[in-house]
Amino acid sequence: MTGTIVHFLRHGEVHNPEGVLYGRLPGYRLSDRGEQQAKGVAEFLVGRDIAHVVASPLERAQQTAAPIGAAFELDVAVDERLIEADNQFEGLKVSVGDGALRSPAHWSKLWNPLRPSWGEPYLEIARRMLGAAYRARTAAEGREAVCVSHQLPIWTLRRFLEGKPMWHDPRRRQCSLASLTSLVFRGEELVRVAYVEPAGGTDPKLTGA
């Protein structure tokens, strides 16, 4: 059967001096380091058989995808399903021990961490990301595709595919900045999930990463 690989690339570091959860808010671009991470991933992929590049519509994802598109002389497509998860804490500080999570005014949003009650349900995230994965697999059939997305959607998709509960401790996510979570298909069958960190590991607790 034909083998196809769909790489899910988390965007690079974002300039976020306020340390807020920016989610889908506009105006959050890659930092200088993030731009270097994006270029580094493009260099890491040179020699691979990349036939399709697609990204979330958010600016940081588009910026991360651009060097890859340029390296392989491919236009970067947009898939809305790759967007960051919706979250009611957008624009607020949510680090453990400070910010919005300490305010009783926000506690009503925390009643069900398994769904979760403060944002887009995990199952909905997994389903849309799976749809994006299969669209990219079809577009790059027999070759490789790169889908640039965000930490929570990529990690949720991975847990879904591995048959694990989608609720989880955010501090234990294995999805560093500019990392690649790769789905290996034989025909339409997923046979393996691989993970690599071309830019090195980063702390999953880092707000604004």
Side-chain angles (χ1 to χ4, degrees), residues 39-118:
K39 293 175 182 176
V41 175
E43 293 170 1
F44 176 82
L45 291 170
V46 168
R48 307 289 305 209
D49 191 16
I50 306 298
H52 181 66
V53 182
V54 60
S56 155
L58 296 178
E59 186 174 13
R60 58 192 183 270
Q62 292 289 317
Q63 286 182 287
T64 303
I68 301 171
F72 291 93
E73 299 183 342
L74 296 169
D75 292 332
V76 177
V78 177
D79 191 331
E80 296 283 346
R81 293 175 294 187
L82 295 172
I83 199 168
E84 177 64 282
D86 189 28
N87 194 305
Q88 295 180 40
F89 289 102
E90 279 184 358
L92 302 175
K93 292 185 177 181
V94 293
S95 298
V96 175
D98 77 346
L101 299 182
R102 296 184 63 184
S103 171
H106 296 292
W107 290 352
S108 62
K109 301 172 185 175
L110 305 175
W111 64 273
N112 185 1
L114 306 185
R115 186 177 187 267
S117 52
W118 57 83

Side-chain angles (χ1 to χ4, degrees), residues 184-195:
V184 182
F185 291 91
R186 183 181 296 118
E188 294 187 0
E189 179 188 5
L190 177 68
V191 295
R192 186 164 63 93
V193 178
Y195 177 76

Side-chain angles (χ1 to χ4, degrees), residues 118-139:
W118 57 83
E120 185 178 7
Y122 291 130
L123 186 57
E124 291 183 12
I125 297 171
R127 285 173 173 166
R128 65 174 169 83
M129 290 291 285
L130 188 61
Y134 273 94
R135 176 183 285 181
R137 189 206 65 79
T138 299

Side-chain angles (χ1 to χ4, degrees), residues 8-10 82-85 122 125-126 128-129 149-176 179-183 193-195 197 204:
F8 278 86
L9 169 61
R10 183 185 173 192
L82 295 172
I83 199 168
E84 177 64 282
Y122 291 130
I125 297 171
R128 65 174 169 83
M129 290 291 285
S149 187
H150 309 267
Q151 186 192 59
L152 177 55
I154 295 172
W155 184 240
T156 301
L157 174 64
R158 179 174 172 181
R159 291 185 68 86
F160 177 80
L161 292 172
E162 293 179 342
K164 297 177 181 177
M166 285 174 284
W167 59 270
H168 59 278
D169 183 344
R171 296 170 297 181
R172 298 184 180 276
R173 292 174 185 162
Q174 188 184 45
C175 190
S176 292
S179 63
L180 290 161
T181 299
S182 303
L183 311 185
V193 178
Y195 177 76
E197 298 174 343

